[in-house]
Amino acid sequence: MFASLLRSEREYPIFYSEAVLRLMASRARKTPSLAKVRFSASNAWSISEAVGISHEGICSACGHPLNQREELNEDEHWALHKALLSFLECGTKNFSSGSPAEVRALRNHVRALPKAEGGTKSLVVDTLNLIHGRSIEPFYKMLLALMEDFPRIMLITRPGSKNRFIRHLSPLNISVFVCNKLSEDDLFILLAALEMGPGCYVLTNDQFSDHRHRLGHDLVPLFDRWNESRVVRYFASTYRYKMPGRFTCFPHRAPDGFHIPVARVIAPSIYEHDWICVVKKHVSRRK
């Protein structure tokens, strides 16, 4: 019905509304096949698909740069931290989330770590996500490579998870926190990363969707921005890792239109983004 409306009202003023266009761009990101229907049907937009993006982020179609990824500020960071801390205080059907003593132990563990100097990056590793059903040796080699980028590394795991391997990490100055086998380790991973400060990253292929859905509407955008800028993904077959991209992965305004990212799966839980450039045609509005 919406597509029919667009086709019948090709120059309707709705297509000059900033709010409506932002909504359309957001929906097109999730359903890229609708982007051409929604924008081209208005007869007010020129659409370029899979445009080239230079190393500096310049769009080959319109010549304008993509937006840099947006980091959380201090207030946003600690607001998200507070919300996740509250999750750990409330149990779920299958997990105890975490006892107050266990949460205190995690926070004390983080505070006891060597202080990060200016610009030093930290990393929390979702150990269970990486080693479940896999050989330990390639993971160990990846940790050695990660130490070159992240001087402070903390592993979150559960009892019985390759204990011999965990003991071998001591000479590497890699910290390990073992949470209860019935605790929600994902929440401890998220809390540890936020507790370590705004410069901390997380190595995982988990999407944390369940916990995202538990957040309030005002916090979901903060979580999405944090997730896009602070989660490091890894290739399970090779144990190479992929840092977050330099540019935002959300639709955003360009001077004459929009840049819309379209996710392309390159490995399980790992995406690259192609871009649709939507530029307003210089036509007069219908009076």
Side-chain angles (χ1 to χ4, degrees), residues 10-272:
R10 290 180 178 274
E11 296 181 13
Y12 195 72
I14 189 174
F15 298 108
Y16 297 91
S17 164
E18 178 81 12
V20 170
L21 292 175
R22 284 185 180 278
L23 177 61
M24 291 167 65
S26 176
R27 294 298 181 267
R29 177 196 181 214
K30 297 179 180 179
T31 314
S33 61
L34 297 181
K36 292 191 72 174
V37 173
R38 288 177 169 172
F39 285 100
S40 64
S42 73
N43 202 32
W45 300 92
S46 174
I47 301 173
S48 300
E49 297 183 89
V51 297
I53 303 296
S54 72
H55 179 73
E56 294 76 19
I58 304 299
C59 172
S60 63
C62 68
H64 294 295
L66 301 181
N67 286 2
Q68 296 282 333
R69 73 180 187 216
E70 188 178 358
E71 309 280 352
L72 298 187
N73 61 38
E74 287 277 343
D75 290 341
E76 292 170 333
H77 176 92
W78 294 113
L80 191 57
H81 172 278
K82 181 179 179 180
L84 291 168
L85 183 60
S86 70
F87 289 167
L88 279 166
E89 296 170 350
C90 304
T92 63
K93 182 178 180 181
N94 298 317
F95 293 93
S96 62
S97 286
S99 68
E102 192 175 12
V103 173
R104 283 196 303 272
L106 173 71
R107 302 184 76 182
N108 290 335
H109 186 103
V110 170
R111 291 165 185 164
L113 296 175
K115 298 298 182 183
E117 300 178 1
T120 298
K121 293 187 294 187
S122 303
L123 180 72
V124 172
V125 178
D126 183 354
T127 311
L128 295 177
N129 185 265
L130 271 78
I131 67 175
H132 181 69
R134 300 188 180 100
S135 171
I136 290 299
E137 184 178 354
F139 176 47
Y140 186 84
K141 291 180 178 178
M142 183 171 66
L143 282 177
L144 295 177
L146 284 163
M147 290 180 68
E148 298 181 8
D149 289 330
F150 300 95
R152 290 203 313 168
I153 297 180
M154 177 179 177
L155 273 61
I156 305 289
T157 187
R158 283 192 183 138
S161 297
K162 317 287 185 180
N163 287 334
R164 184 180 301 175
F165 164 71
I166 297 299
R167 287 196 296 271
H168 288 166
L169 297 178
S170 298
L172 301 180
N173 292 320
I174 292 178
S175 173
V176 179
F177 182 83
V178 181
C179 59
N180 188 285
K181 64 181 180 179
L182 291 180
S183 295
E184 291 191 85
D185 61 298
D186 287 352
L187 285 176
F188 278 89
I189 290 160
L190 293 170
L191 179 62
L194 291 164
E195 188 80 22
M196 291 176 78
C200 185
Y201 292 75
V202 174
L203 177 66
T204 184
N205 277 350
D206 199 318
Q207 301 295 332
F208 301 119
S209 299
D210 291 344
H211 307 302
R212 178 185 183 274
H213 293 153
R214 294 166 65 183
L215 291 167
H217 292 302
D218 56 330
L219 292 174
V220 168
L222 300 186
F223 183 84
D224 288 345
R225 282 166 47 203
W226 178 85
N227 195 34
E228 292 286 352
S229 64
R230 285 292 174 261
V231 174
V232 181
R233 303 296 181 184
Y234 68 92
F235 295 86
S237 58
T238 62
Y239 277 92
R240 291 183 297 111
Y241 58 93
K242 181 179 183 296
M243 294 293 291
R246 294 170 52 205
F247 307 105
T248 181
C249 294
F250 300 100
H252 55 272
R253 214 34 173 116
D256 297 317
F258 286 89
H259 288 131
I260 303 172
V262 179
R264 172 168 45 87
V265 179
I266 59 174
S269 300
I270 304 179
Y271 305 88
E272 294 285 3

